[in-house]
Amino acid sequence: MYNSNKTKELNTYDAIVIGSGISGGWAAMELCKKGFKTLLLERGRNVEHIVDYPTANLNPWDFKYGLNNTLKDREADPVQSNTYNPSTKHFFVSDAEHPYIQEQPFDWVRGYQVGGRSLVWGRQCYRMSDLDFEANLKDGIAVDWPIRYKDLAPWYSYVESFIGVSGQKENLAHLPDGEFLPAMELNYIEKHLGDSIKKNEHNRLLTIARVANLTRGWDHRGPCQNRNLCERGCPFGGYFSSNSSTIPAAVATGNLTLRPFSIVTEILYDEQRQMAKGVRVIDTLSNEVYEFYSKILFINASTIATASLLLNSVSSRFPNGFGNDSEQVGHNLMDHHSSAGAYGVHDQFKDYYYKGRRPCGFLIPRYRNLKDGENLNFKRGYNIQGHGERMEWQDLSYNLNGFGKDFKKQLTTPGDWTVWMAGWGECLPYFENQITLDKIQKDKWGLPLVKIDFSFAENENKMMIDIQQTSAEMLEGAGFKDVEMFNYKKSGGSTVHEMGTARMGHDPRTSVLNKFNQMHNAKNVFITDGSAMTSSSCQNPSLTYMALTARACEFAYQQLKNGKL
Ligand SMILES: Cc1cc2nc3c(=O)[nH]c(=O)nc-3n(C[C@H](O)[C@H](O)[C@H](O)COP(=O)(O)OP(=O)(O)OC[C@H]3O[C@@H](n4cnc5c(N)ncnc54)[C@H](O)[C@@H]3O)c2cc1C
Ligand code: SF4
């Protein structure tokens, strides 16, 4: 290991942040703004805003096989290729280079680079509410969240005011409104479906998705040009990513040291102070091992990577993994399911042509189990996400016959309006759904392979049936024909909302983190990625990770200022 006394001083910072994705970017920015000399460690390469978006302005015909993955892609990357296409492949890991063990099928979708998955995320931003924060306590499931909506509400506002979220206020207690930029517009068929839902279903409504896309210029970024190519990186900075927003803001303070190509392999424990003293890192360019030290540590490597890092950090004090007195680290893994829904075709409104090029769809907020006594055969709920459009030539070409001019005309005439919609459903925290480390198999860095053992259970399966039925009802109620219910039966992980492997809770015996995301067993360690989540709710979770991060940074700052750390 390369670590002389001389370098010890040089390698010491006020704060270390592990991982530069959505949550780590936030931690780095907040800590730098508070005046901390901060080291941001990222295992992947650097991706600089705009400069490193090689496909941002390419057309489908610029790619050798259009936007289709080849058989070779699918064989080489059986997991990642379900999410990438040739325009985004460079922002995802290679499955062959980054193996893991699936005890049951689980898609672990990853982007190892500066910015993590903030470059490719869908940008949907929804607040959780007390319906979610109180649910575990009410149902006697897992452990109670140690916070309530009022604790996080100001931090949601703080985050939204920085990232920029467009959306429509709807005044719903279970989906609180935020600090919104002007909403994007629903297209004709979506408005028609929304009107029908309003008329027929009294506790439901359809609204435009709330997304971190800038409908007006914002803090030197945007506005969004509605190109809907966000996941390639946006040359206008029209959507929120670490690369476009938090990392440049952290750099601007002069307090950030960004170190890419740095895999954190272990958290180092200081027996005397009973806190973390720093981290051990493999430099993937030189293969050298380094140690870095700091007063506080934020772990933001993303749910599964964070748990594996804790489990790999064993010492005489923590033989089962860092901060794991509760034996909860790695357990309670959750992911939303998004397999079930319905599709329908509408044969009217042919004079309305424009489907709208927007980087988002619509949302039907949760409408199940909002009150006690609904007598459904499952707990919790789901929201519906979907979009409406007219069939295009790709959809039509399968059923058209002909030749020459007439055929061309048929192809260029838009088909019927369609709506596709699916439920994003809550997954309960089951202790058996877990990640562990394999005792024998290692990756090319000598780190134990992660084993993932996850399945959806009866509650999620029953919810999926309800999603299909209520989706079909809403489409039929709005006059759609040929309504088809579907269940893609996607594996866990494929909604890419992994959560729960180092949960927050009141009691150190049953949880890993306290109400400020501070480790019960090592007070200078904070974990604010998805592993902190005590339950999953049904809202897309990243906005909550950001709000938890900003709140934890303020708490850590106060603790340090008051000499408590
Ligand atoms: C296609 C897609 C669409 C999505 N849509 C949405 C959406 O609409 N709304 C939503 O809320 N969420 C969405 N998500 C999920 C969202 O991307 C994640 O919730 C979010 O990125 C998690 O943030 P994070 O900081 O925990 O992890 P990440 O953003 O994954 O960042 C983790 C970082 O840590 C680094 N790292 C890992 N291990 C180590 C280590 N040992 N040492 C150093 N660095 C390490 C990684 O390289 C990575 O850069 C989507 C994801 C995908 C892929
Ligand atoms: S839709 Fe908006 S944010 Fe997305 S790539 Fe286009 S301009 Fe950028």
Side-chain angles (χ1 to χ4, degrees):
M1 189 198 333
Y2 177 70
N3 203 34
S4 69
N5 280 340
K6 208 168 105 202
T7 53
K8 184 160 185 188
E9 201 182 321
L10 284 175
N11 286 359
T12 300
Y13 294 81
D14 295 324
I16 291 175
V17 177
I18 304 168
S20 63
I22 289 189
S23 63
W26 260 91
M29 175 180 76
E30 290 297 300
L31 296 169
C32 284
K33 282 185 172 174
K34 290 176 192 310
F36 293 139
K37 293 288 176 201
T38 302
L39 175 65
L40 176 55
L41 292 166
E42 167 53 52
R43 68 175 293 158
R45 68 191 166 101
N46 195 12
V47 170
E48 226 175 280
H49 182 46
I50 303 177
V51 179
D52 291 321
Y53 303 154
T55 57
N57 292 318
L58 298 185
N59 290 302
W61 52 88
D62 296 324
F63 299 89
K64 193 167 177 195
Y65 302 106
L67 293 173
N68 306 304
N69 291 335
T70 59
L71 186 59
K72 208 164 140 202
D73 287 325
R74 287 197 291 274
E75 280 171 2
D77 297 323
V79 172
Q80 314 301 319
S81 66
N82 291 328
T83 308
Y84 72 54
N85 69 42
S87 72
T88 56
K89 184 177 170 182
H90 50 289
F91 289 147
F92 291 85
V93 301
S94 139
D95 284 329
E97 273 178 43
H98 300 283
Y100 64 101
I101 299 164
Q102 302 181 49
E103 301 271 89
Q104 302 188 70
F106 188 94
D107 283 6
W108 186 16
V109 178
R110 288 165 287 166
Y112 289 164
Q113 64 251 327
V114 168
R117 293 174 295 181
S118 75
L119 285 160
V120 296
W121 72 312
R123 308 162 307 282
Q124 307 251 348
C125 286
Y126 302 110
R127 292 185 179 203
M128 286 169 59
S129 73
D130 275 337
L131 184 68
D132 306 306
F133 289 115
E134 289 171 0
N136 277 3
L137 183 64
K138 245 185 186 161
D139 294 337
I141 287 177
V143 296
D144 184 20
W145 275 91
I147 54 170
R148 290 293 182 260
Y149 179 64
K150 68 174 172 28
D151 299 308
L152 213 49
W155 297 100
Y156 277 131
S157 294
Y158 178 75
V159 168
E160 288 157 352
S161 303
F162 180 81
I163 68 176
V165 178
S166 68
Q168 175 76 42
K169 294 199 176 195
E170 297 290 359
N171 201 21
L172 299 173
H174 60 283
L175 183 69
D177 293 327
E179 314 296 322
F180 295 141
L181 298 173
M184 298 200 180
E185 219 185 309
L186 295 169
N187 65 32
Y188 190 82
I189 200 70
E190 293 166 345
K191 279 186 195 149
H192 167 75
L193 178 62
D195 290 344
S196 158
I197 289 172
K198 201 165 161 191
K199 207 166 78 200
N200 298 328
E201 311 284 351
H202 296 302
N203 73 340
R204 300 183 199 173
L205 64 86
L206 183 150
T207 187
I208 189 76
R210 297 171 177 179
V211 277
N213 285 79
L214 304 177
T215 43
R216 63 175 152 76
W218 186 258
D219 198 18
H220 310 295
R221 297 192 286 121
C224 169
Q225 314 288 310
N226 286 307
R227 300 167 351 126
N228 198 12
L229 299 174
C230 314
E231 64 279 8
R232 300 179 185 187
C234 176
F236 307 98
Y239 75 99
F240 169 81
S241 66
S242 303
N243 312 62
S244 69
S245 310
T246 43
I247 293 176
V251 169
T253 63
N255 288 328
L256 183 75
T257 303
L258 170 62
R259 195 177 203 285
F261 300 111
S262 303
I263 304 179
V264 179
T265 58
E266 254 178 88
I267 314 294
L268 305 170
Y269 187 63
D270 182 336
E271 297 270 352
Q272 254 183 345
R273 293 177 63 231
Q274 300 184 3
M275 291 201 229
K277 63 178 173 191
V279 295
R280 187 165 294 139
V281 164
I282 297 177
D283 182 310
T284 60
L285 294 179
S286 67
N287 284 348
E288 293 281 1
V289 175
Y290 294 84
E291 285 183 0
F292 295 97
Y293 310 97
S294 64
K295 294 177 197 152
I296 53 169
L297 194 60
F298 270 71
I299 311 183
N300 297 90
S302 81
T303 299
I304 294 172
T306 289
S308 73
L309 175 59
L310 295 175
L311 292 174
N312 198 43
S313 304
V314 289
S315 58
S316 52
R317 166 66 184 86
F318 292 122
N320 299 324
F322 197 94
N324 193 16
D325 287 358
S326 65
E327 307 263 354
Q328 294 293 328
V329 171
H331 292 275
N332 315 302
L333 177 63
M334 299 169 271
D335 179 34
H336 292 139
H337 53 87
S338 57
S339 286
Y343 173 85
V345 178
H346 210 297
D347 58 10
Q348 292 174 29
F349 319 123
K350 296 275 172 54
D351 42 344
Y352 291 92
Y353 172 71
Y354 185 62
K355 93 168 182 192
R357 196 158 69 166
R358 270 178 342 215
C360 70
F362 64 75
L363 178 88
I364 302 172
R366 177 172 160 182
Y367 46 85
R368 288 307 212 196
N369 287 324
L370 296 181
K371 295 187 287 316
D372 293 337
E374 284 190 35
N375 280 331
L376 295 167
N377 65 357
F378 60 90
K379 293 187 188 310
R380 315 287 169 96
Y382 54 86
N383 60 52
I384 300 283
Q385 305 190 12
H387 59 267
E389 62 187 3
R390 286 189 75 169
M391 284 188 206
E392 295 181 22
W393 70 268
Q394 288 104 324
D395 314 299
L396 295 168
S397 58
Y398 295 111
N399 296 321
L400 291 182
N401 294 315
F403 188 71
K405 206 170 139 193
D406 284 348
F407 186 57
K408 195 169 168 194
K409 188 164 177 227
Q410 288 184 71
L411 279 178
T412 50
T413 306
D416 287 337
W417 281 106
T418 62
V419 162
W420 175 95
M421 57 202 229
W424 265 237
E426 176 156 1
C427 166
L428 297 176
Y430 304 107
F431 185 78
E432 317 75 76
N433 281 343
Q434 60 174 317
I435 77 128
T436 49
L437 299 182
D438 193 77
K439 292 197 169 54
I440 299 163
Q441 299 185 69
K442 305 228 150 106
D443 69 9
K444 67 175 176 183
W445 308 110
L447 294 168
L449 289 197
V450 168
K451 279 200 290 196
I452 305 178
D453 191 352
F454 176 95
S455 61
F456 292 118
E458 202 188 339
N459 199 63
E460 291 76 37
N461 291 332
K462 285 183 171 160
M463 195 188 293
M464 288 186 222
I465 294 172
D466 194 68
I467 291 170
Q468 290 178 307
Q469 289 167 348
T470 60
S471 300
E473 268 163 34
M474 287 186 275
L475 289 174
E476 278 161 1
F480 283 79
K481 306 275 181 320
D482 302 328
V483 172
E484 275 175 36
M485 297 191 279
F486 56 78
N487 186 339
Y488 303 139
K489 296 196 186 321
K490 292 190 278 186
S491 323
S494 43
T495 311
V496 207
H497 292 166
E498 334 81 67
M499 294 175 243
T501 51
R503 70 187 177 196
M504 294 166 77
H506 300 282
D507 187 346
R509 287 169 305 178
T510 54
S511 60
V512 182
L513 309 170
N514 72 11
K515 63 181 176 180
F516 290 107
N517 296 72
Q518 181 182 34
M519 224 177 204
H520 290 302
N521 300 146
K523 298 284 181 207
N524 64 343
V525 176
F526 296 83
I527 302 181
T528 61
D529 59 20
S531 38
M533 301 286 281
T534 314
S535 70
S536 71
S537 83
C538 65
Q539 334 288 37
N540 302 50
S542 307
L543 180 72
T544 298
Y545 307 165
M546 292 189 251
L548 287 172
T549 304
R551 180 172 177 268
C553 287
E554 175 60 20
F555 175 77
Y557 169 71
Q558 293 299 339
Q559 293 289 101
L560 272 172
K561 206 168 90 179
N562 298 327
K564 293 190 178 154
L565 280 179

